[in-house]
């Protein structure tokens, strides 16, 4: 129903099409980033029986941040004990 309203507004006012595209792509991008955080972030544990603490199994060279400005994760050495 909402998609039909957007299409009807776009037909009446074609100048709104870029606004709909930008807002739609922003919503899709935010949803995809939220899904990435839920699936691949080591702070989130979906399987508590097999891997209750996934943050302890990370190697220092594992990059879990989306973008790192000045840290080269491949050069990091292990400086913490095993648990």
């Amino acid at each position: 129903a909402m998609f039909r309203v957007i299409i009807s507004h776009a037909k009446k006012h074609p100048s709104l099409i870029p606004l709909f595209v930008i807002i739609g792509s922003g919503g899709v991008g935010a949803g995809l980033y939220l899904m990435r955080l839920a699936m691949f972030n080591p702070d989130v544990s979906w399987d508590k029986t097999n891997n209750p603490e996934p943050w302890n199994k990370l190697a220092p060279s594992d990059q879990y941040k989306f973008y790192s400005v000045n840290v080269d994760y491949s050069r990091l050495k292990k400086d913490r004990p095993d648990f």
Side-chain angles (χ1 to χ4, degrees):
M2 189 66 184
F3 189 69
R4 189 172 292 171
V5 171
I6 291 173
I7 296 296
S8 70
H9 279 301
K11 286 181 182 177
K12 291 177 189 173
H13 307 285
S15 61
L16 291 177
I17 292 174
L19 177 70
F20 292 146
V21 169
I22 290 171
I23 296 295
S25 62
V28 167
L32 289 174
Y33 184 69
L34 206 80
M35 191 168 57
R36 178 194 175 272
L37 285 177
M39 300 299 287
F40 300 115
N41 196 354
D43 297 333
V44 178
S45 177
W46 291 98
D47 186 12
K48 294 196 183 291
T49 56
N50 294 329
N51 194 6
E53 296 177 343
W55 50 89
N56 283 336
K57 294 187 178 179
L58 283 177
S61 60
D62 291 340
Q63 179 178 353
Y64 61 90
K65 290 187 175 183
F66 185 69
Y67 179 70
S68 177
V69 178
N70 56 2
V71 176
D72 186 12
Y73 283 91
S74 63
R75 295 183 185 174
L76 292 179
K77 304 288 186 243
K78 185 173 182 178
D79 61 349
R80 56 185 178 235
D82 290 329
F83 289 107

Coordinates of all heavy atoms in Angstrom, one line a residue:
A1 N 0.8 -1.2 0.0 CA 0.0 0.0 0.0 C 0.9 1.2 0.0 O 0.6 2.2 -0.7 CB -0.9 0.0 1.2
M2 N 1.9 1.3 0.8 CA 2.8 2.4 0.9 C 3.6 2.6 -0.4 O 3.8 3.7 -0.9 CB 3.8 2.3 2.1 CG 4.6 3.5 2.4 SD 3.4 4.8 2.9 CE 4.5 6.1 3.1
F3 N 4.0 1.5 -1.0 CA 4.7 1.6 -2.3 C 3.8 2.2 -3.4 O 4.3 3.0 -4.2 CB 5.2 0.2 -2.7 CG 6.1 0.2 -3.9 CD1 7.4 0.7 -3.8 CD2 5.7 -0.3 -5.1 CE1 8.2 0.7 -4.9 CE2 6.5 -0.3 -6.2 CZ 7.8 0.2 -6.1
R4 N 2.5 1.9 -3.4 CA 1.6 2.4 -4.4 C 1.4 3.9 -4.2 O 1.3 4.7 -5.1 CB 0.2 1.7 -4.2 CG -0.7 2.1 -5.3 CD -2.0 1.2 -5.2 NE -1.6 -0.2 -5.5 CZ -2.4 -1.2 -5.4 NH1 -3.6 -1.0 -4.9 NH2 -2.0 -2.4 -5.7
V5 N 1.4 4.4 -2.9 CA 1.3 5.8 -2.6 C 2.6 6.5 -3.2 O 2.5 7.6 -3.8 CB 1.1 6.1 -1.1 CG1 1.3 7.6 -0.8 CG2 -0.2 5.5 -0.7
I6 N 3.8 5.9 -3.0 CA 5.0 6.5 -3.4 C 5.0 6.6 -4.9 O 5.4 7.6 -5.5 CB 6.2 5.7 -2.9 CG1 6.4 5.9 -1.4 CG2 7.5 6.1 -3.6 CD1 7.4 5.0 -0.8
I7 N 4.5 5.6 -5.6 CA 4.5 5.6 -7.1 C 3.5 6.7 -7.6 O 3.8 7.4 -8.5 CB 4.1 4.2 -7.6 CG1 5.1 3.2 -7.3 CG2 3.8 4.2 -9.1 CD1 6.5 3.4 -7.9
S8 N 2.4 6.8 -6.9 CA 1.4 7.8 -7.4 C 2.0 9.2 -7.1 O 1.8 10.1 -8.0 CB 0.1 7.7 -6.6 OG 0.2 8.0 -5.3
H9 N 2.7 9.5 -6.0 CA 3.3 10.8 -5.8 C 4.4 11.0 -6.8 O 4.6 12.2 -7.3 CB 3.9 10.9 -4.4 CG 2.9 11.2 -3.3 ND1 2.1 12.3 -3.3 CD2 2.5 10.5 -2.2 CE1 1.3 12.3 -2.3 NE2 1.6 11.2 -1.6
A10 N 5.2 10.0 -7.2 CA 6.2 10.2 -8.2 C 5.7 10.5 -9.5 O 6.3 11.2 -10.3 CB 7.1 8.9 -8.2
K11 N 4.5 10.0 -9.9 CA 3.9 10.3 -11.2 C 3.4 11.7 -11.2 O 3.5 12.4 -12.2 CB 2.8 9.3 -11.5 CG 3.2 7.9 -11.9 CD 2.1 7.0 -12.1 CE 2.6 5.6 -12.5 NZ 1.5 4.7 -12.7
K12 N 2.9 12.2 -10.1 CA 2.3 13.5 -10.0 C 3.4 14.6 -9.9 O 3.4 15.6 -10.5 CB 1.4 13.7 -8.8 CG 0.1 12.9 -9.0 CD -0.8 13.1 -7.7 CE -1.9 12.2 -7.7 NZ -2.7 12.2 -6.5
H13 N 4.5 14.2 -9.2 CA 5.6 15.2 -8.9 C 6.9 14.5 -9.2 O 7.5 13.9 -8.3 CB 5.6 15.6 -7.5 CG 4.3 16.2 -7.0 ND1 3.9 17.5 -7.4 CD2 3.3 15.7 -6.2 CE1 2.7 17.7 -6.8 NE2 2.3 16.6 -6.1
P14 N 7.4 14.5 -10.5 CA 8.6 13.7 -10.8 C 9.9 14.3 -10.1 O 10.9 13.6 -10.0 CB 8.7 13.9 -12.3 CG 7.5 14.5 -12.8 CD 6.7 15.1 -11.6
S15 N 9.8 15.5 -9.6 CA 11.0 16.0 -8.9 C 11.2 15.3 -7.6 O 12.3 15.5 -7.0 CB 10.8 17.5 -8.7 OG 9.7 17.8 -7.9
L16 N 10.3 14.6 -7.1 CA 10.4 13.8 -5.8 C 11.1 12.5 -6.0 O 11.5 11.9 -5.0 CB 9.1 13.6 -5.2 CG 8.3 14.8 -4.6 CD1 7.0 14.4 -4.1 CD2 9.1 15.5 -3.6
I17 N 11.4 12.1 -7.2 CA 12.0 10.8 -7.5 C 13.4 10.7 -6.9 O 13.7 9.7 -6.2 CB 12.0 10.4 -9.0 CG1 10.5 10.2 -9.4 CG2 12.8 9.2 -9.3 CD1 10.4 10.0 -10.9
P18 N 14.3 11.7 -7.0 CA 15.6 11.6 -6.4 C 15.5 11.5 -4.8 O 16.3 10.8 -4.2 CB 16.3 12.8 -6.8 CG 15.6 13.3 -8.0 CD 14.2 12.9 -7.9
L19 N 14.5 12.2 -4.3 CA 14.3 12.1 -2.8 C 13.9 10.7 -2.4 O 14.5 10.2 -1.4 CB 13.3 13.1 -2.4 CG 12.9 13.1 -0.9 CD1 14.1 13.7 -0.1 CD2 11.7 13.9 -0.7
F20 N 13.0 10.1 -3.1 CA 12.6 8.7 -2.8 C 13.8 7.7 -3.0 O 13.9 6.8 -2.1 CB 11.4 8.3 -3.7 CG 10.1 9.0 -3.4 CD1 9.2 9.3 -4.4 CD2 9.8 9.4 -2.1 CE1 8.1 10.0 -4.1 CE2 8.7 10.1 -1.8 CZ 7.8 10.4 -2.9
V21 N 14.6 7.9 -4.0 CA 15.7 7.0 -4.2 C 16.7 7.2 -3.1 O 17.2 6.2 -2.6 CB 16.3 7.3 -5.6 CG1 17.7 6.6 -5.7 CG2 15.4 6.9 -6.7
I22 N 17.0 8.4 -2.7 CA 18.1 8.6 -1.7 C 17.6 8.1 -0.3 O 18.3 7.4 0.4 CB 18.4 10.1 -1.6 CG1 19.2 10.5 -2.9 CG2 19.2 10.4 -0.4 CD1 19.5 11.9 -3.0
I23 N 16.3 8.4 0.0 CA 15.8 7.9 1.3 C 15.7 6.4 1.3 O 16.0 5.8 2.3 CB 14.4 8.6 1.6 CG1 14.6 10.1 1.7 CG2 13.8 8.0 2.8 CD1 15.4 10.5 2.9
G24 N 15.2 5.8 0.2 CA 15.1 4.4 0.1 C 16.5 3.7 0.2 O 16.6 2.7 0.9
S25 N 17.5 4.2 -0.5 CA 18.8 3.6 -0.4 C 19.4 3.8 1.0 O 20.2 2.9 1.4 CB 19.7 4.2 -1.5 OG 19.9 5.5 -1.3
G26 N 19.2 4.9 1.6 CA 19.7 5.1 3.0 C 19.0 4.1 3.9 O 19.7 3.5 4.8
G27 N 17.7 3.8 3.8 CA 17.1 2.8 4.6 C 17.6 1.4 4.4 O 17.8 0.7 5.3
V28 N 17.8 1.1 3.1 CA 18.3 -0.2 2.8 C 19.8 -0.4 3.3 O 20.1 -1.4 3.9 CB 18.3 -0.5 1.2 CG1 19.1 -1.7 0.8 CG2 16.8 -0.6 0.8
G29 N 20.6 0.7 3.1 CA 22.0 0.6 3.7 C 22.0 0.5 5.2 O 22.8 -0.3 5.7
A30 N 21.1 1.2 5.9 CA 21.1 1.1 7.3 C 20.6 -0.3 7.7 O 21.2 -0.9 8.7 CB 20.1 2.1 7.9
G31 N 19.7 -0.9 7.0 CA 19.3 -2.3 7.3 C 20.3 -3.3 7.1 O 20.5 -4.2 7.9
L32 N 21.1 -3.1 6.0 CA 22.2 -4.1 5.7 C 23.3 -3.9 6.7 O 23.9 -4.9 7.1 CB 22.7 -3.8 4.3 CG 21.8 -4.2 3.1 CD1 22.4 -3.8 1.8 CD2 21.6 -5.7 3.2
Y33 N 23.6 -2.7 7.2 CA 24.6 -2.5 8.2 C 24.2 -3.1 9.5 O 25.0 -3.8 10.2 CB 25.0 -1.1 8.4 CG 26.1 -0.8 9.3 CD1 27.4 -1.2 9.0 CD2 25.9 -0.3 10.6 CE1 28.4 -1.0 9.9 CE2 26.9 0.0 11.4 CZ 28.2 -0.4 11.1 OH 29.2 -0.3 12.0
L34 N 23.0 -3.0 9.9 CA 22.4 -3.6 11.1 C 22.5 -5.1 11.0 O 22.9 -5.8 12.0 CB 21.0 -3.1 11.3 CG 20.5 -3.1 12.7 CD1 21.0 -1.9 13.4 CD2 19.0 -3.2 12.8
M35 N 22.2 -5.7 9.8 CA 22.3 -7.1 9.7 C 23.8 -7.6 9.8 O 24.1 -8.6 10.3 CB 21.7 -7.5 8.3 CG 21.6 -9.0 8.2 SD 20.6 -9.5 6.7 CE 21.4 -8.7 5.4
R36 N 24.7 -6.8 9.2 CA 26.1 -7.1 9.3 C 26.6 -7.1 10.8 O 27.3 -8.0 11.2 CB 27.0 -6.1 8.5 CG 28.4 -6.3 8.6 CD 29.2 -5.1 8.2 NE 30.6 -5.4 8.4 CZ 31.3 -5.1 9.5 NH1 30.6 -4.5 10.5 NH2 32.6 -5.3 9.6
L37 N 26.1 -6.1 11.6 CA 26.5 -6.1 13.0 C 25.9 -7.3 13.7 O 26.6 -7.8 14.6 CB 25.9 -4.8 13.6 CG 26.7 -3.5 13.3 CD1 26.0 -2.3 14.0 CD2 28.1 -3.6 13.7
A38 N 24.7 -7.7 13.4 CA 24.1 -8.8 14.1 C 24.7 -10.1 13.8 O 24.8 -11.0 14.6 CB 22.6 -8.8 13.8
M39 N 25.2 -10.2 12.5 CA 25.8 -11.5 12.1 C 27.3 -11.7 12.4 O 27.7 -12.8 12.7 CB 25.5 -11.7 10.6 CG 24.1 -11.7 10.2 SD 23.1 -13.0 11.0 CE 23.7 -14.4 10.1
F40 N 28.1 -10.6 12.2 CA 29.5 -10.8 12.2 C 30.2 -10.0 13.4 O 31.4 -10.1 13.5 CB 30.1 -10.3 10.9 CG 29.6 -11.0 9.7 CD1 28.8 -10.4 8.8 CD2 29.8 -12.4 9.6 CE1 28.3 -11.1 7.7 CE2 29.4 -13.1 8.5 CZ 28.6 -12.5 7.6
N41 N 29.5 -9.3 14.2 CA 30.2 -8.6 15.3 C 30.5 -9.6 16.4 O 29.7 -10.4 16.8 CB 29.3 -7.5 15.8 CG 30.0 -6.5 16.7 OD1 31.2 -6.7 17.0 ND2 29.3 -5.5 17.1
P42 N 31.7 -9.6 16.9 CA 32.1 -10.6 18.0 C 31.4 -10.3 19.3 O 31.4 -11.2 20.2 CB 33.6 -10.5 18.1 CG 33.9 -9.1 17.6 CD 32.9 -8.8 16.5
D43 N 30.8 -9.2 19.5 CA 30.1 -8.9 20.7 C 28.7 -9.6 20.8 O 28.1 -9.7 21.8 CB 29.9 -7.4 20.9 CG 31.2 -6.7 21.0 OD1 32.1 -7.3 21.5 OD2 31.2 -5.5 20.6
V44 N 28.2 -10.1 19.6 CA 26.9 -10.7 19.6 C 27.1 -12.2 19.5 O 27.8 -12.8 18.7 CB 26.2 -10.3 18.3 CG1 24.8 -10.9 18.2 CG2 26.0 -8.8 18.3
S45 N 26.4 -12.9 20.4 CA 26.5 -14.4 20.5 C 25.2 -15.0 20.3 O 24.3 -14.9 21.1 CB 27.1 -14.8 21.9 OG 27.1 -16.2 21.9
W46 N 25.0 -15.6 19.1 CA 23.7 -16.3 18.8 C 23.7 -17.7 19.3 O 22.6 -18.2 19.6 CB 23.5 -16.2 17.3 CG 23.2 -14.9 16.7 CD1 24.1 -14.1 16.1 CD2 22.0 -14.1 16.7 NE1 23.5 -12.9 15.8 CE2 22.2 -12.9 16.1 CE3 20.7 -14.4 17.2 CZ2 21.2 -11.9 16.0 CZ3 19.7 -13.5 17.1 CH2 20.0 -12.2 16.4
D47 N 24.8 -18.3 19.3 CA 24.9 -19.8 19.7 C 25.6 -19.8 21.0 O 26.9 -20.0 21.1 CB 25.7 -20.5 18.6 CG 25.7 -22.0 18.8 OD1 24.9 -22.5 19.7 OD2 26.4 -22.7 18.2
K48 N 24.9 -19.8 22.1 CA 25.5 -19.8 23.4 C 26.0 -21.2 23.9 O 26.7 -21.3 24.8 CB 24.5 -19.2 24.4 CG 24.2 -17.8 24.2 CD 23.6 -17.1 25.4 CE 23.2 -15.7 25.1 NZ 24.4 -14.8 24.9
T49 N 25.5 -22.3 23.2 CA 26.0 -23.6 23.6 C 27.3 -24.0 23.1 O 28.2 -24.5 23.8 CB 24.9 -24.7 23.2 OG1 24.8 -24.6 21.8 CG2 23.6 -24.4 23.9
N50 N 27.6 -23.7 21.8 CA 28.8 -24.1 21.2 C 29.9 -23.0 21.3 O 31.1 -23.3 21.4 CB 28.6 -24.4 19.7 CG 27.8 -25.6 19.5 OD1 27.8 -26.5 20.3 ND2 27.0 -25.6 18.4
N51 N 29.5 -21.7 21.3 CA 30.5 -20.6 21.4 C 29.9 -19.5 22.3 O 29.4 -18.5 21.8 CB 30.7 -20.1 20.0 CG 31.9 -19.2 19.9 OD1 32.7 -19.1 20.9 ND2 32.1 -18.6 18.7
P52 N 30.0 -19.7 23.6 CA 29.4 -18.7 24.5 C 30.1 -17.4 24.6 O 29.5 -16.4 24.8 CB 29.4 -19.4 25.8 CG 30.5 -20.4 25.8 CD 30.6 -20.8 24.3
E53 N 31.4 -17.4 24.3 CA 32.1 -16.1 24.3 C 33.0 -16.0 23.1 O 34.2 -16.3 23.0 CB 33.1 -16.1 25.6 CG 32.3 -16.1 26.9 CD 33.2 -16.2 28.1 OE1 34.4 -16.5 27.9 OE2 32.7 -15.9 29.2
P54 N 32.4 -15.5 22.0 CA 33.1 -15.5 20.7 C 34.2 -14.5 20.7 O 35.1 -14.6 19.9 CB 32.0 -15.1 19.7 CG 30.9 -14.5 20.5 CD 31.0 -15.1 21.8
W55 N 34.2 -13.5 21.5 CA 35.2 -12.5 21.6 C 36.6 -13.0 22.0 O 37.6 -12.5 21.8 CB 34.8 -11.3 22.4 CG 34.3 -11.7 23.7 CD1 35.0 -11.8 24.9 CD2 33.0 -12.0 24.1 NE1 34.2 -12.2 25.9 CE2 32.9 -12.3 25.5 CE3 31.8 -12.0 23.4 CZ2 31.8 -12.6 26.1 CZ3 30.6 -12.3 24.1 CH2 30.6 -12.6 25.4
N56 N 36.6 -14.2 22.8 CA 37.8 -14.8 23.2 C 38.5 -15.5 22.1 O 39.7 -15.9 22.3 CB 37.5 -15.7 24.4 CG 37.3 -14.9 25.7 OD1 37.8 -13.8 25.8 ND2 36.6 -15.5 26.6
K57 N 37.8 -15.9 21.0 CA 38.4 -16.7 20.0 C 39.0 -15.8 18.8 O 39.3 -16.3 17.8 CB 37.4 -17.7 19.4 CG 37.1 -18.7 20.5 CD 36.2 -19.8 19.9 CE 36.0 -20.8 21.0 NZ 35.1 -21.9 20.6
L58 N 39.0 -14.5 19.0 CA 39.5 -13.6 18.0 C 41.0 -13.5 18.0 O 41.6 -13.4 19.1 CB 38.9 -12.2 18.2 CG 37.5 -11.9 17.7 CD1 37.1 -10.5 18.0 CD2 37.4 -12.2 16.3
A59 N 41.6 -13.6 16.9 CA 43.1 -13.4 16.8 C 43.3 -11.9 16.7 O 42.4 -11.2 16.3 CB 43.6 -14.1 15.6
P60 N 44.5 -11.5 17.1 CA 44.8 -10.0 17.0 C 44.7 -9.5 15.5 O 44.5 -8.3 15.3 CB 46.2 -9.9 17.5 CG 46.4 -11.1 18.3 CD 45.6 -12.2 17.7
S61 N 44.9 -10.4 14.6 CA 44.9 -9.9 13.2 C 43.4 -9.9 12.6 O 43.3 -9.6 11.4 CB 45.8 -10.8 12.3 OG 45.3 -12.2 12.4
D62 N 42.4 -10.3 13.3 CA 41.1 -10.3 12.8 C 40.5 -8.9 12.9 O 40.4 -8.3 13.9 CB 40.1 -11.2 13.7 CG 40.5 -12.7 13.5 OD1 41.1 -13.0 12.5 OD2 40.1 -13.5 14.3
Q63 N 40.1 -8.4 11.7 CA 39.5 -7.0 11.7 C 38.0 -7.2 11.7 O 37.4 -7.7 10.8 CB 39.9 -6.3 10.4 CG 39.3 -4.9 10.3 CD 39.7 -4.1 9.1 OE1 40.6 -4.6 8.4 NE2 39.1 -3.0 8.9
Y64 N 37.4 -6.8 12.8 CA 36.0 -6.8 13.0 C 35.3 -5.5 12.8 O 34.1 -5.4 12.8 CB 35.6 -7.5 14.3 CG 36.0 -6.8 15.5 CD1 35.2 -5.8 16.1 CD2 37.2 -7.1 16.1 CE1 35.6 -5.2 17.3 CE2 37.7 -6.4 17.2 CZ 36.8 -5.5 17.8 OH 37.3 -4.8 18.9
K65 N 36.1 -4.4 12.8 CA 35.6 -3.1 12.5 C 35.2 -3.0 11.0 O 35.9 -3.6 10.2 CB 36.5 -2.0 12.9 CG 36.7 -1.9 14.4 CD 37.6 -0.7 14.7 CE 37.7 -0.5 16.2 NZ 38.4 0.7 16.6
F66 N 34.3 -2.1 10.7 CA 33.9 -1.9 9.3 C 35.0 -1.2 8.6 O 35.3 -1.6 7.4 CB 32.5 -1.2 9.3 CG 32.0 -1.0 7.9 CD1 31.5 -2.1 7.3 CD2 32.0 0.2 7.3 CE1 31.0 -2.0 6.0 CE2 31.5 0.3 6.0 CZ 30.9 -0.8 5.4
Y67 N 35.6 -0.2 9.2 CA 36.6 0.6 8.5 C 37.6 1.0 9.5 O 37.2 1.5 10.6 CB 36.0 1.8 7.8 CG 37.0 2.6 7.1 CD1 37.6 2.2 5.9 CD2 37.3 3.9 7.6 CE1 38.5 3.0 5.3 CE2 38.2 4.7 6.9 CZ 38.8 4.3 5.7 OH 39.7 5.0 5.1
S68 N 38.9 0.8 9.2 CA 39.9 1.2 10.1 C 40.8 2.2 9.4 O 41.3 2.0 8.3 CB 40.8 0.0 10.5 OG 41.8 0.4 11.4
V69 N 41.0 3.4 10.1 CA 41.7 4.5 9.4 C 43.2 4.2 9.5 O 43.9 4.3 8.4 CB 41.3 5.8 10.1 CG1 42.1 6.9 9.5 CG2 39.9 6.1 10.0
N70 N 43.8 4.0 10.6 CA 45.2 3.9 10.7 C 45.8 2.7 11.4 O 46.9 2.7 11.8 CB 45.7 5.2 11.5 CG 45.1 5.3 12.9 OD1 44.3 4.5 13.3 ND2 45.4 6.4 13.6
V71 N 45.0 1.6 11.5 CA 45.5 0.4 12.1 C 45.6 -0.7 11.1 O 44.6 -1.0 10.4 CB 44.6 -0.1 13.3 CG1 45.1 -1.4 13.9 CG2 44.6 1.0 14.4
D72 N 46.8 -1.3 10.9 CA 46.9 -2.4 10.0 C 46.8 -3.7 10.8 O 47.8 -4.1 11.6 CB 48.3 -2.3 9.3 CG 48.5 -3.4 8.2 OD1 47.4 -4.1 7.9 OD2 49.6 -3.6 7.8
Y73 N 45.7 -4.4 10.7 CA 45.4 -5.5 11.6 C 46.3 -6.7 11.3 O 46.5 -7.6 12.1 CB 44.0 -5.9 11.5 CG 43.1 -5.0 12.3 CD1 42.5 -3.9 11.7 CD2 42.8 -5.2 13.6 CE1 41.7 -3.0 12.4 CE2 42.0 -4.4 14.3 CZ 41.4 -3.3 13.7 OH 40.6 -2.5 14.4
S74 N 46.9 -6.8 10.1 CA 47.7 -7.9 9.7 C 49.1 -7.9 10.5 O 49.7 -8.9 10.6 CB 48.0 -7.9 8.2 OG 48.7 -6.8 7.8
R75 N 49.5 -6.7 11.0 CA 50.8 -6.6 11.7 C 50.7 -6.7 13.2 O 51.7 -6.7 13.9 CB 51.4 -5.3 11.4 CG 51.8 -5.1 9.9 CD 52.4 -3.8 9.7 NE 52.7 -3.6 8.3 CZ 53.2 -2.5 7.8 NH1 53.5 -1.5 8.6 NH2 53.4 -2.4 6.5
L76 N 49.5 -6.9 13.7 CA 49.3 -6.9 15.2 C 49.8 -8.3 15.7 O 49.5 -9.3 15.2 CB 47.9 -6.6 15.6 CG 47.4 -5.2 15.3 CD1 45.9 -5.1 15.7 CD2 48.2 -4.2 16.1
K77 N 50.4 -8.2 16.9 CA 50.9 -9.5 17.6 C 50.0 -9.8 18.8 O 49.3 -8.9 19.3 CB 52.3 -9.3 18.1 CG 53.3 -8.9 17.0 CD 53.6 -10.1 16.1 CE 54.7 -9.7 15.1 NZ 54.2 -9.7 13.7
K78 N 50.0 -11.0 19.2 CA 49.2 -11.4 20.3 C 49.8 -11.0 21.6 O 51.0 -11.3 21.9 CB 49.0 -12.9 20.3 CG 48.1 -13.4 21.4 CD 47.8 -14.9 21.2 CE 46.9 -15.3 22.3 NZ 46.5 -16.7 22.2
D79 N 49.1 -10.2 22.4 CA 49.6 -9.7 23.7 C 48.7 -10.0 24.8 O 48.7 -9.3 25.8 CB 49.9 -8.2 23.5 CG 48.6 -7.4 23.3 OD1 47.5 -8.1 23.0 OD2 48.6 -6.2 23.3
R80 N 47.9 -11.0 24.7 CA 46.9 -11.4 25.8 C 46.9 -12.9 26.0 O 47.3 -13.6 25.1 CB 45.5 -10.9 25.4 CG 45.0 -11.4 24.1 CD 43.7 -10.8 23.8 NE 43.3 -11.3 22.5 CZ 43.0 -10.5 21.5 NH1 43.0 -9.2 21.6 NH2 42.6 -11.0 20.3
P81 N 46.5 -13.3 27.2 CA 46.6 -14.7 27.5 C 45.4 -15.5 26.8 O 44.4 -14.9 26.4 CB 46.4 -14.8 29.0 CG 45.7 -13.5 29.3 CD 46.2 -12.5 28.3
D82 N 45.6 -16.8 26.7 CA 44.5 -17.7 26.2 C 43.5 -18.0 27.4 O 43.9 -18.2 28.5 CB 45.0 -19.0 25.7 CG 45.8 -18.8 24.4 OD1 45.4 -17.8 23.6 OD2 46.7 -19.5 24.1
F83 N 42.2 -18.0 27.0 CA 41.2 -18.4 28.0 C 40.5 -19.6 27.6 O 40.3 -19.9 26.5 CB 40.2 -17.2 28.2 CG 40.8 -16.0 28.9 CD1 41.1 -14.9 28.2 CD2 41.0 -16.1 30.2 CE1 41.6 -13.8 28.8 CE2 41.5 -15.0 30.9 CZ 41.8 -13.8 30.2

